[in-house]
Amino acid sequence: MLIQSLVFRCLSTRKNHLVIEFPRRLLSASFQFVCSFSAHVATEEINPSLKVPLFKEKTKLEGTKRLKLYSKILHDCASKGSLSSAKAVHGKIIKKGFDPDLHLWNSLVNAYAKRGVFGYACKVLDRMPERDVVSWTALFSGLVNEGYGYDVLDLYCSMKKDGVLPNGHCLVTALKACSLSLDLFFGTLLHGEGVKVGVLLDIFVGSSLVDLYAKCGQMELAERVFLFMDKKNVVSWNALLNGYALKGDAGKILNLFQGMTESELRCSKFTLSNVLKSCTYLVNLTWGLIAHSLVIKTGCEHDEFVGCCLLDLYSKCGLAEDTLKVFKRIQEPNIVAWSAMIDCLDEQGQIQEAAELFSLMRCKGVSPNQHTFASIAGVAANLGDRLYCEGVHACILKHGFESEIILSNALIAMYMKIRSVQNGWQVFKEMSFWNSASWNSLLSGSHNGKTCDRGPSIFHKMLAEGFKPDICTFTSILRSCSNLLNIKFGHQVHAHIIKNGLKDNNLVGTSLIDLYAKNGFLADAELLFTQLIERDLFSWTALIAGYAQSDCSEKAIKCFNHMQRQGVTPNNFTLATCLSSCSNMGMLENGQLLHSMAIKAGNSGDVFVSSSIVDMYANCGCIEEAEAAFQGMVSTDTVSWNMMLFGYLQHRQGLKVLETFRTMLDKGLEPDEVTFIAVLSACSYMGFVIEGKEYFDSLTNVFGIVPTIKHCACMIDILGRAGKFNEVKSFIKDMKVTSNPLIWETVLGACRMHGNDKLGESAAEKLFELNPGIASHYILLANIFAAKGRWEDVRRVRALMTHCGVKKEPGCSWVMVNGQVHIFRSTDGCHPKHGEIYIKLKELVEKSILAGYVPKTDHILNDVGDDEKLEQLFHHNERLALAFALISINPVKTIRIFKNLHICEDCHDFMKLVSGVIKQEIVVRDANCFHHFKSGICSCQDYC
């Protein structure tokens, strides 16, 4: 009875293991109970599938033949799962009074153990007159198959006490039990036992040892056993591969797979699935294709699990078409395969196709699970269709998943992304409980737009509810602070980050850099950048964007060059940001390098990058190149058309602005508010009053756009430049825009053009009242008075400007020479080549005077002598930049000069004459537009 009580104790007291329930009286009763029970069932018919006519035999079988027949029937019972037939055979043996031999006893143990009836198996084992290793192994195998690893190890010790030595099969079974229970110590004892009995070279024992060490994380021992094996089969290879898979060592798996293919062993689907997962993790398409070819060769391509691994591989490698081909070859894809395919299409940006596949899945009768719904919620968010999003929500409720927190979080994120904030909050409020992901989903709606101001309050509530912010929380709230330009709250969040020990996290660090850079705290952003443990593309881009937004274009380009030297490849956003920096500073050479880089890297097809290329060429004075880049765009949107419109406008090509606008409408694109600013500005420049009025009226009547202050200012500019000041007054009154500084600034500019000092003075007084800190308002009024000879009023305006503490923005010009920006200010003597510059400038003045140049000293408003006025006029910063360019640049190249203020009328005339004298094109970009000086003519038609 020792074995009976031992097994009962093992099976009944093991914690965290399934307890097999069977009557205690069965274990305490004598073997006669089994006999009586078996006699009762002896009349039962044996399963017909066994095909052995035991009870219909017509001749009496004697002795050994009968025992062999019973053994065979019991073997068939064990393999084919007929417990009732095994009981019937057992009953017959007892009823007829046969004396079983050892083989028959073992067959009985095996039959009961394989069917999981361990009580009967133990009783038989206990009653056996003698037990050998086969007897014990039969019981071990049954227990291992049911997952009772620890119990086998206890029984193994009993076997040893019984004086039975293990063989190879017994050790394999016991090692499997060690693997199940992760008992490394007992496994090493069995390893020693294998050496002792001389079965270590057995391929099955070796494979079991490899499996044990691998599952216990002892990969060095596993590999040593594996290398020691004379022969290796698929099982041993798989055992080692599984071990490295558990450790997540994808590289080692591929190395082993390479060795396995060289051994010409036939790979199983388990091997191939591990290899495919490793290829997916490493994004190694080359070995993935090799594994796929072996999948086809071994006939596993229709297997659902292998198929899902292939789907995942091609999806992670960005090959949506190949993923779809694999999906179509799966005969009956399960929900995992459908979900993987939907995920792939979503990740590759094929949102509509993902939605259609979800519909097809439902038509096929496949019921979606939580993962599918989470995926389709993301798809719905990307589609941006509110009705579709609500349909997905209804579908989730219909399938009874409303209480699933993962899906509730996905729904919140979905609604927040489509700006349906109220629905998102409603889902949040209806949840029975929240986790950090719930709050993060809520915060995801406060990244930008009108809802970003909710971010701080959500963050406060989250803390008040006792939730600990994580990396995702901090990146979301920092992004909200960045868009709000709320540096004060950002500082508080930064303190929380330090308190939570996340200051060294790269994602959080990058978000902090973005926060400080966008708020103009570049020194802090630079410090945080230097403290990053790992500087990735996003951290570099955040710093570059900060420089670009703070008008530190040179620093942005230097940072970009440094990033490239570090081996970091730019993405579309990085390239577009740097192109914007080149555009702002007129850095044509750098812009051209970025253009070529975008083409080489395959980024030029991106509408964001290509629009930035158009803008860069237009702002660097190369309108023909901008036009060519625009015409070569793969796809265009309203933004890219607006870029081209403003490019033409900057170069004073008003007719092309209107022509391009008509083409845009013909192509079916909807103009926006920005589009009409370009169109109305072109009408102003061209003097098209009637057309301007028609376009302004079409804003509301045709396109349903409410006119903004900028549109009203454009309309006032159209009327003012045409000298229609009565209409200007009526328009301001009718549109009720009397309290906006931009309106009166536009009126003041028109008054200066036409010399309307009365209305100009009235407009200036409005501006001094609304916005007294702008220097250009005082200067425009002073220019109007100066043109009328009202010098006393000029002095009064200057005194008022001084009294209010308003300072004129220092004028400067810059020119690019050999990739370096050279900046000049009027009467500047700081440049290293100032001596050569002044000599060249004197030469240019002399030649231009001979060509008919007459200096206009009346533009010098200072009350000084004529000689001093000439000195000031001749040394304006754009002239110094021109002289430097002429002594530095190849005479064949176009000279490009950039100004931060308007070019004065005298410098405009000077540039025209010089362009004819030196027979070289000069391009000047001032605060208003581009001036192309060539052969004594300016492209602006003297509209400066």
Side-chain angles (χ1 to χ4, degrees), residues 532-590:
L532 286 177
I533 296 170
E534 183 182 345
R535 295 164 196 164
D536 58 11
L537 172 63
F538 301 104
S539 52
W540 281 101
T541 303
L543 189 61
I544 291 167
Y547 286 137
Q549 290 164 9
S550 300
D551 292 328
C552 299
S553 299
E554 277 189 277
K555 280 191 173 183
I557 298 302
K558 284 179 181 177
C559 189
F560 178 80
N561 293 334
H562 188 195
M563 180 190 82
Q564 283 195 294
R565 286 194 296 272
Q566 295 294 316
V568 180
T569 305
N571 63 5
N572 295 344
F573 184 75
T574 319
L575 285 169
T577 302
C578 290
L579 284 163
S580 174
S581 295
C582 294
S583 173
N584 293 336
M585 284 296 290
M587 303 162 103
L588 179 61
E589 292 177 7
N590 287 319

Side-chain angles (χ1 to χ4, degrees), residues 278-326:
S278 300
C279 293
T280 303
Y281 179 77
L282 296 171
V283 197
N284 190 326
L285 184 60
T286 304
W287 275 100
L289 291 171
I290 293 170
H292 192 174
S293 67
L294 287 173
V295 167
I296 297 168
K297 187 177 179 181
T298 53
C300 299
E301 61 180 325
H302 299 300
D303 181 82
E304 286 182 353
F305 187 69
V306 175
C308 288
C309 291
L310 283 167
L311 285 177
D312 202 29
L313 168 69
Y314 287 118
S315 173
K316 291 293 188 296
C317 292
L319 303 171
E321 290 183 12
D322 293 309
T323 311
L324 195 57
K325 287 177 184 177
V326 170

Side-chain angles (χ1 to χ4, degrees), residues 695-707:
Y695 282 125
F696 185 84
D697 291 338
S698 72
L699 262 170
T700 307
N701 300 335
V702 179
F703 299 101
I705 300 172
V706 178

Side-chain angles (χ1 to χ4, degrees), residues 796-935:
R796 180 174 57 82
V797 171
R798 284 181 173 274
L800 178 62
M801 188 175 175
T802 304
H803 176 74
C804 293
V806 180
K807 293 183 179 180
K808 179 184 175 184
E809 180 186 359
C812 68
S813 296
W814 64 93
V815 63
M816 282 283 295
V817 175
N818 298 325
Q820 187 176 352
V821 178
H822 296 262
I823 301 173
F824 297 90
R825 291 178 175 81
S826 296
T827 65
D828 195 352
C830 300
H831 197 277
K833 293 188 175 182
H834 69 274
E836 297 174 58
I837 291 169
Y838 278 87
I839 291 169
K840 186 65 179 178
L841 187 55
K842 185 179 179 183
E843 177 191 327
L844 290 174
V845 170
E846 290 172 354
K847 288 182 177 179
S848 60
I849 288 172
L850 291 173
Y853 167 60
V854 178
K856 296 178 178 178
T857 55
D858 54 325
H859 289 284
I860 302 295
L861 301 182
N862 296 330
D863 191 9
V864 294
D866 289 342
D867 290 341
E868 193 171 343
K869 284 184 178 181
L870 284 172
E871 184 70 18
Q872 290 181 18
L873 202 61
F874 290 163
H875 296 125
H876 274 187
N877 50 64
E878 54 262 59
R879 303 191 194 201
L880 296 174
L882 173 64
F884 173 71
L886 288 171
I887 64 174
S888 307
I889 296 175
N890 189 318
V892 180
K893 291 184 70 175
T894 300
I895 296 170
R896 302 179 191 279
I897 300 168
F898 301 86
K899 274 186 66 67
N900 65 331
L901 302 176
H902 294 286
I903 188 171
C904 73
E905 190 176 337
D906 186 73
C907 286
H908 188 270
D909 292 344
F910 178 76
M911 292 288 181
K912 280 199 304 181
L913 287 167
V914 170
S915 69
V917 169
I918 63 175
K919 294 182 171 38
Q920 192 171 352
E921 184 178 3
I922 303 168
V923 178
V924 177
R925 187 187 82 184
D926 67 4
N928 193 27
C929 68
F930 274 95
H931 302 268
H932 293 259
F933 300 101
K934 192 173 183 180
S935 303

